[in-house]
Amino acid sequence: VLAYSGYGVWNINPTEEITAADFGWSQYGGPIVIDGKTEAINSGVNAVINIVSTKVQTCEKAIQDKMGTDLYGTNTDAANGFIGLRAAIDDGTNTVTYGGISRTDWPIWKAQYFANAGTLRALTFALLQQAYGAASIDNDRPTIGVGVQRVFDKYHSMVLPSQRIANAELENAGFSNLAFNSMLIVVDSHAPANQLLMLNENWIKLYIHKERDFDFQPFVQISNQDASVAKIRWMGQLCVDNPRMNARIVDISYVL
């Protein structure tokens, strides 16, 4: 990119500005098992449907809970579940390689990471603004901040005199939310303790395999037991295309 006038000479030598990240697919699943006695006791079409429906809902909830925990993890191996947000939103302090790309080789792959050497410190407006500003370029800014309830409560106490619900639709969906600049701050019980993640949703993608979106595998008889088993399967991956546009504040005290 250059500024020029008239016949000014352009540099057309190729430059390596992007490289391919490699994430791989992660898989989740769970079994639904019904023994012969339970099936016999709950005989009849309606009874069987009810017990299967309950077991399916329970299994799906368990899978979703596991996915929610892994979503915020530090894992970098797709075979072990999601490549987590804490691995993505790091500057190389804890996770040097993300998506197969070294943050040493590609500084733009570094997220905005604000630690305090493991010592808990107060959450302040200055710290929030520093992180928010570092992850912003013009109008491309973090869109949502996520923390556990106690982080949210701390921010709530900071803005209590003027606090307002920032997004009524999120509130109606069960997500308590407040605003910092143009970013919503919400609660997620799966988020890491003593941390606030500032996420730019424009650069975060959840890819889902179309044939493994909580698909149900029918019951089959277990060969050596009086029982049947079905399976629920999910396959996909969470990818952050541009870690630089996200920030993470760690070492937040709930009381200071």
Side-chain angles (χ1 to χ4, degrees):
V1 178
L2 75 160
Y4 73 99
S5 176
Y7 290 98
V9 177
W10 291 29
N11 180 356
I12 59 173
N13 293 326
T15 59
E16 190 67 39
E17 297 173 345
I18 60 174
T19 188
D22 182 10
F23 293 96
W25 293 98
S26 290
Q27 296 174 271
Y28 290 88
I32 303 166
V33 182
I34 300 179
D35 66 275
K37 181 179 180 180
T38 300
E39 186 175 358
I41 292 172
N42 292 275
S43 60
V45 175
N46 291 333
V48 171
I49 289 175
N50 287 339
I51 192 170
V52 169
S53 177
T54 300
K55 284 180 170 287
V56 168
Q57 291 176 12
T58 301
C59 183
E60 287 180 342
K61 183 65 176 178
I63 295 172
Q64 290 165 359
D65 188 57
K66 169 64 174 170
M67 292 169 67
T69 299
D70 290 353
L71 190 75
Y72 293 98
T74 59
N75 174 53
T76 58
D77 184 354
N80 295 323
F82 278 135
I83 298 176
L85 285 171
R86 279 189 286 169
I89 307 173
D90 195 88
D91 63 354
T93 299
N94 307 287
T95 305
V96 176
T97 301
Y98 173 68
I101 299 175
S102 171
R103 290 183 162 117
T104 302
D105 299 333
W106 293 88
I108 195 173
W109 211 234
K110 294 182 178 181
Q112 313 305 319
Y113 181 74
F114 294 85
N116 195 44
T119 302
L120 297 182
R121 39 64 189 284
L123 181 66
T124 65
F125 286 116
L127 180 57
L128 286 165
Q129 184 59 42
Q130 183 183 13
Y132 181 83
S136 301
I137 297 179
D138 298 327
N139 65 347
D140 195 1
R141 306 164 183 165
T143 55
I144 189 166
V146 186
V148 295
Q149 184 68 53
R150 296 192 71 182
V151 170
F152 181 86
D153 292 345
K154 180 59 184 176
Y155 181 69
H156 181 277
S157 70
M158 294 165 60
V159 299
L160 187 59
S162 59
Q163 70 96 1
R164 297 288 186 275
I165 293 172
N167 186 298
E169 290 184 4
L170 274 178
E171 185 73 17
N172 292 335
F175 291 92
S176 297
N177 64 96
L178 296 169
F180 177 77
N181 293 335
S182 60
M183 178 183 71
L184 298 177
I185 296 181
V186 303
V187 177
D188 191 331
S189 62
H190 296 96
N194 304 101
Q195 300 189 26
L196 179 68
L197 284 71
M198 295 184 174
L199 309 177
N200 187 324
E201 296 166 284
N202 298 315
W203 297 102
I204 299 175
K205 309 292 191 300
L206 178 63
Y207 294 98
I208 303 173
H209 196 289
K210 64 180 181 179
E211 295 179 2
R212 295 288 181 92
D213 188 9
F214 287 95
D215 75 307
F216 179 82
Q217 294 291 296
F219 282 96
V220 295
Q221 185 72 31
I222 300 175
S223 60
N224 61 346
Q225 290 180 293
D226 181 16
S228 301
V229 61
K231 299 175 183 176
I232 295 177
R233 305 180 300 177
W234 187 93
M235 180 184 289
Q237 190 54 268
L238 180 77
C239 305
V240 179
D241 297 337
N242 191 346
R244 179 259 177 274
M245 302 303 299
N246 299 266
R248 179 155 61 106
I249 302 174
V250 305
D251 302 326
I252 296 173
S253 171
Y254 302 136
V255 296
L256 295 178

